[in-house]
mmCIF file of all heavy atoms in Angstrom:
data_model
loop_
_atom_site.group_PDB
_atom_site.id
_atom_site.type_symbol
_atom_site.label_atom_id
_atom_site.label_comp_id
_atom_site.label_asym_id
_atom_site.label_seq_id
_atom_site.Cartn_x
_atom_site.Cartn_y
_atom_site.Cartn_z
ATOM 1 N N ARG A 50 -25.145 -3.086 -11.127
ATOM 2 C CA ARG A 50 -25.955 -4.312 -11.184
ATOM 3 C C ARG A 50 -25.183 -5.487 -11.771
ATOM 4 O O ARG A 50 -25.406 -6.639 -11.397
ATOM 5 C CB ARG A 50 -27.215 -4.057 -12.010
ATOM 6 C CG ARG A 50 -28.187 -3.061 -11.385
ATOM 7 C CD ARG A 50 -29.480 -2.987 -12.177
ATOM 8 N NE ARG A 50 -30.394 -1.999 -11.628
ATOM 9 C CZ ARG A 50 -30.548 -0.767 -12.117
ATOM 10 N NH1 ARG A 50 -29.839 -0.391 -13.174
ATOM 11 N NH2 ARG A 50 -31.393 0.074 -11.562
ATOM 12 N N HIS A 51 -24.253 -5.210 -12.679
ATOM 13 C CA HIS A 51 -23.594 -6.288 -13.411
ATOM 14 C C HIS A 51 -22.178 -6.627 -12.936
ATOM 15 O O HIS A 51 -21.689 -7.721 -13.214
ATOM 16 C CB HIS A 51 -23.548 -5.956 -14.906
ATOM 17 C CG HIS A 51 -24.884 -5.974 -15.571
ATOM 18 N ND1 HIS A 51 -25.645 -4.839 -15.742
ATOM 19 C CD2 HIS A 51 -25.612 -6.994 -16.093
ATOM 20 C CE1 HIS A 51 -26.781 -5.158 -16.345
ATOM 21 N NE2 HIS A 51 -26.784 -6.456 -16.576
ATOM 22 N N HIS A 52 -21.520 -5.704 -12.228
ATOM 23 C CA HIS A 52 -20.101 -5.923 -11.934
ATOM 24 C C HIS A 52 -19.728 -5.920 -10.453
ATOM 25 O O HIS A 52 -18.612 -6.287 -10.112
ATOM 26 C CB HIS A 52 -19.256 -4.877 -12.672
ATOM 27 C CG HIS A 52 -19.379 -4.959 -14.162
ATOM 28 N ND1 HIS A 52 -18.856 -5.992 -14.898
ATOM 29 C CD2 HIS A 52 -19.993 -4.125 -15.051
ATOM 30 C CE1 HIS A 52 -19.116 -5.803 -16.183
ATOM 31 N NE2 HIS A 52 -19.821 -4.687 -16.298
ATOM 32 N N ARG A 53 -20.589 -5.442 -9.560
ATOM 33 C CA ARG A 53 -20.327 -5.454 -8.117
ATOM 34 C C ARG A 53 -18.952 -4.864 -7.782
ATOM 35 O O ARG A 53 -18.077 -5.558 -7.247
ATOM 36 C CB ARG A 53 -20.431 -6.872 -7.575
ATOM 37 C CG ARG A 53 -21.798 -7.504 -7.750
ATOM 38 C CD ARG A 53 -21.825 -8.945 -7.286
ATOM 39 N NE ARG A 53 -21.473 -9.066 -5.898
ATOM 40 C CZ ARG A 53 -22.333 -8.958 -4.887
ATOM 41 N NH1 ARG A 53 -23.593 -8.710 -5.141
ATOM 42 N NH2 ARG A 53 -21.937 -9.096 -3.643
ATOM 43 N N PRO A 54 -18.717 -3.596 -8.058
ATOM 44 C CA PRO A 54 -17.430 -2.976 -7.709
ATOM 45 C C PRO A 54 -17.244 -2.896 -6.191
ATOM 46 O O PRO A 54 -18.218 -2.969 -5.427
ATOM 47 C CB PRO A 54 -17.539 -1.580 -8.321
ATOM 48 C CG PRO A 54 -19.007 -1.305 -8.349
ATOM 49 C CD PRO A 54 -19.645 -2.633 -8.667
ATOM 50 N N ASP A 55 -15.994 -2.752 -5.780
ATOM 51 C CA ASP A 55 -15.677 -2.655 -4.347
ATOM 52 C C ASP A 55 -15.819 -1.238 -3.816
ATOM 53 O O ASP A 55 -15.944 -1.034 -2.609
ATOM 54 C CB ASP A 55 -14.251 -3.151 -4.100
ATOM 55 C CG ASP A 55 -14.083 -4.605 -4.491
ATOM 56 O OD1 ASP A 55 -14.805 -5.449 -3.919
ATOM 57 O OD2 ASP A 55 -13.257 -4.902 -5.367
ATOM 58 N N LEU A 56 -15.778 -0.247 -4.725
ATOM 59 C CA LEU A 56 -15.875 1.158 -4.319
ATOM 60 C C LEU A 56 -16.330 1.968 -5.523
ATOM 61 O O LEU A 56 -16.021 1.632 -6.663
ATOM 62 C CB LEU A 56 -14.517 1.662 -3.812
ATOM 63 C CG LEU A 56 -14.444 3.101 -3.292
ATOM 64 C CD1 LEU A 56 -13.472 3.198 -2.104
ATOM 65 C CD2 LEU A 56 -14.002 4.079 -4.383
ATOM 66 N N VAL A 57 -17.084 3.036 -5.256
ATOM 67 C CA VAL A 57 -17.523 3.948 -6.318
ATOM 68 C C VAL A 57 -16.870 5.305 -6.107
ATOM 69 O O VAL A 57 -16.959 5.886 -5.018
ATOM 70 C CB VAL A 57 -19.058 4.105 -6.334
ATOM 71 C CG1 VAL A 57 -19.479 5.121 -7.399
ATOM 72 C CG2 VAL A 57 -19.728 2.760 -6.578
ATOM 73 N N LEU A 58 -16.210 5.801 -7.145
ATOM 74 C CA LEU A 58 -15.619 7.136 -7.150
ATOM 75 C C LEU A 58 -16.536 7.999 -8.007
ATOM 76 O O LEU A 58 -16.600 7.831 -9.225
ATOM 77 C CB LEU A 58 -14.206 7.074 -7.720
ATOM 78 C CG LEU A 58 -13.329 8.326 -7.637
ATOM 79 C CD1 LEU A 58 -13.221 8.835 -6.205
ATOM 80 C CD2 LEU A 58 -11.950 8.028 -8.198
ATOM 81 N N LEU A 59 -17.270 8.902 -7.379
ATOM 82 C CA LEU A 59 -18.430 9.538 -8.014
ATOM 83 C C LEU A 59 -18.282 11.044 -8.157
ATOM 84 O O LEU A 59 -18.097 11.757 -7.166
ATOM 85 C CB LEU A 59 -19.684 9.224 -7.182
ATOM 86 C CG LEU A 59 -20.969 9.947 -7.553
ATOM 87 C CD1 LEU A 59 -21.437 9.519 -8.941
ATOM 88 C CD2 LEU A 59 -22.049 9.661 -6.512
ATOM 89 N N ASP A 60 -18.408 11.524 -9.396
ATOM 90 C CA ASP A 60 -18.522 12.958 -9.656
ATOM 91 C C ASP A 60 -19.985 13.346 -9.533
ATOM 92 O O ASP A 60 -20.868 12.666 -10.082
ATOM 93 C CB ASP A 60 -18.002 13.271 -11.066
ATOM 94 C CG ASP A 60 -18.193 14.735 -11.422
ATOM 95 O OD1 ASP A 60 -17.988 15.586 -10.545
ATOM 96 O OD2 ASP A 60 -18.567 15.020 -12.581
ATOM 97 N N LEU A 61 -20.282 14.427 -8.826
ATOM 98 C CA LEU A 61 -21.674 14.818 -8.610
ATOM 99 C C LEU A 61 -22.294 15.489 -9.832
ATOM 100 O O LEU A 61 -23.513 15.476 -10.004
ATOM 101 C CB LEU A 61 -21.778 15.772 -7.407
ATOM 102 C CG LEU A 61 -21.472 15.182 -6.035
ATOM 103 C CD1 LEU A 61 -21.618 16.265 -4.975
ATOM 104 C CD2 LEU A 61 -22.379 14.009 -5.707
ATOM 105 N N GLY A 62 -21.466 16.094 -10.687
ATOM 106 C CA GLY A 62 -21.989 16.862 -11.818
ATOM 107 C C GLY A 62 -22.219 16.017 -13.053
ATOM 108 O O GLY A 62 -21.512 16.168 -14.052
ATOM 109 N N LEU A 63 -23.207 15.133 -13.011
ATOM 110 C CA LEU A 63 -23.492 14.244 -14.137
ATOM 111 C C LEU A 63 -24.581 14.832 -15.037
ATOM 112 O O LEU A 63 -25.437 15.589 -14.566
ATOM 113 C CB LEU A 63 -23.923 12.867 -13.614
ATOM 114 C CG LEU A 63 -22.856 12.138 -12.781
ATOM 115 C CD1 LEU A 63 -23.459 10.880 -12.164
ATOM 116 C CD2 LEU A 63 -21.652 11.793 -13.643
ATOM 117 N N PRO A 64 -24.577 14.473 -16.325
ATOM 118 C CA PRO A 64 -25.519 15.100 -17.255
ATOM 119 C C PRO A 64 -26.956 14.614 -17.147
ATOM 120 O O PRO A 64 -27.878 15.317 -17.580
ATOM 121 C CB PRO A 64 -24.937 14.731 -18.633
ATOM 122 C CG PRO A 64 -24.184 13.461 -18.398
ATOM 123 C CD PRO A 64 -23.612 13.586 -17.012
ATOM 124 N N ASP A 65 -27.173 13.425 -16.595
ATOM 125 C CA ASP A 65 -28.515 12.838 -16.663
ATOM 126 C C ASP A 65 -29.249 12.783 -15.333
ATOM 127 O O ASP A 65 -30.447 12.493 -15.318
ATOM 128 C CB ASP A 65 -28.453 11.427 -17.255
ATOM 129 C CG ASP A 65 -27.638 10.469 -16.397
ATOM 130 O OD1 ASP A 65 -26.709 10.937 -15.705
ATOM 131 O OD2 ASP A 65 -27.926 9.259 -16.417
ATOM 132 N N ARG A 66 -28.564 13.032 -14.218
ATOM 133 C CA ARG A 66 -29.272 12.971 -12.939
ATOM 134 C C ARG A 66 -28.466 13.656 -11.849
ATOM 135 O O ARG A 66 -27.271 13.862 -11.963
ATOM 136 C CB ARG A 66 -29.580 11.529 -12.543
ATOM 137 C CG ARG A 66 -28.362 10.696 -12.232
ATOM 138 C CD ARG A 66 -28.702 9.229 -12.208
ATOM 139 N NE ARG A 66 -29.767 8.928 -11.269
ATOM 140 C CZ ARG A 66 -30.726 8.034 -11.497
ATOM 141 N NH1 ARG A 66 -30.748 7.375 -12.630
ATOM 142 N NH2 ARG A 66 -31.647 7.787 -10.593
ATOM 143 N N ASP A 67 -29.161 14.005 -10.781
ATOM 144 C CA ASP A 67 -28.522 14.659 -9.640
ATOM 145 C C ASP A 67 -27.622 13.669 -8.910
ATOM 146 O O ASP A 67 -28.011 12.531 -8.636
ATOM 147 C CB ASP A 67 -29.597 15.188 -8.684
ATOM 148 C CG ASP A 67 -28.994 15.837 -7.457
ATOM 149 O OD1 ASP A 67 -28.437 16.935 -7.582
ATOM 150 O OD2 ASP A 67 -29.067 15.213 -6.375
ATOM 151 N N GLY A 68 -26.395 14.102 -8.607
ATOM 152 C CA GLY A 68 -25.439 13.211 -7.962
ATOM 153 C C GLY A 68 -25.877 12.745 -6.593
ATOM 154 O O GLY A 68 -25.642 11.589 -6.215
ATOM 155 N N LEU A 69 -26.540 13.614 -5.829
ATOM 156 C CA LEU A 69 -27.004 13.218 -4.498
ATOM 157 C C LEU A 69 -28.080 12.143 -4.604
ATOM 158 O O LEU A 69 -28.121 11.193 -3.812
ATOM 159 C CB LEU A 69 -27.543 14.433 -3.738
ATOM 160 C CG LEU A 69 -26.537 15.547 -3.437
ATOM 161 C CD1 LEU A 69 -27.209 16.675 -2.674
ATOM 162 C CD2 LEU A 69 -25.349 15.007 -2.633
ATOM 163 N N GLU A 70 -28.951 12.284 -5.602
ATOM 164 C CA GLU A 70 -29.979 11.262 -5.832
ATOM 165 C C GLU A 70 -29.332 9.933 -6.220
ATOM 166 O O GLU A 70 -29.784 8.860 -5.790
ATOM 167 C CB GLU A 70 -30.909 11.738 -6.946
ATOM 168 C CG GLU A 70 -31.989 10.738 -7.334
ATOM 169 C CD GLU A 70 -32.794 11.230 -8.517
ATOM 170 O OE1 GLU A 70 -33.240 12.392 -8.480
ATOM 171 O OE2 GLU A 70 -32.978 10.459 -9.482
ATOM 172 N N LEU A 71 -28.267 10.010 -7.010
ATOM 173 C CA LEU A 71 -27.581 8.790 -7.440
ATOM 174 C C LEU A 71 -26.943 8.073 -6.258
ATOM 175 O O LEU A 71 -26.925 6.834 -6.219
ATOM 176 C CB LEU A 71 -26.520 9.134 -8.490
ATOM 177 C CG LEU A 71 -25.734 7.953 -9.063
ATOM 178 C CD1 LEU A 71 -26.674 6.943 -9.719
ATOM 179 C CD2 LEU A 71 -24.697 8.440 -10.071
ATOM 180 N N ILE A 72 -26.432 8.822 -5.286
ATOM 181 C CA ILE A 72 -25.871 8.189 -4.085
ATOM 182 C C ILE A 72 -26.929 7.299 -3.435
ATOM 183 O O ILE A 72 -26.668 6.149 -3.069
ATOM 184 C CB ILE A 72 -25.371 9.249 -3.088
ATOM 185 C CG1 ILE A 72 -24.134 9.953 -3.641
ATOM 186 C CG2 ILE A 72 -25.041 8.601 -1.735
ATOM 187 C CD1 ILE A 72 -23.662 11.123 -2.795
ATOM 188 N N GLY A 73 -28.144 7.822 -3.307
ATOM 189 C CA GLY A 73 -29.219 7.029 -2.720
ATOM 190 C C GLY A 73 -29.563 5.808 -3.540
ATOM 191 O O GLY A 73 -29.806 4.726 -2.990
ATOM 192 N N ASP A 74 -29.545 5.951 -4.866
ATOM 193 C CA ASP A 74 -29.846 4.808 -5.735
ATOM 194 C C ASP A 74 -28.768 3.727 -5.613
ATOM 195 O O ASP A 74 -29.077 2.520 -5.603
ATOM 196 C CB ASP A 74 -29.940 5.274 -7.185
ATOM 197 C CG ASP A 74 -31.162 6.144 -7.445
ATOM 198 O OD1 ASP A 74 -32.120 6.061 -6.648
ATOM 199 O OD2 ASP A 74 -31.152 6.912 -8.418
#
Side-chain angles (χ1 to χ4, degrees):
R50 294 187 182 99
H51 291 95
H52 298 290
R53 299 176 59 87
D55 298 301
L56 182 144
V57 177
L58 188 55
L59 172 65
D60 176 40
L61 292 180
L63 298 172
D65 63 331
R66 67 195 304 142
D67 178 72
L69 297 180
E70 177 185 311
L71 181 59
I72 291 174
D74 291 339

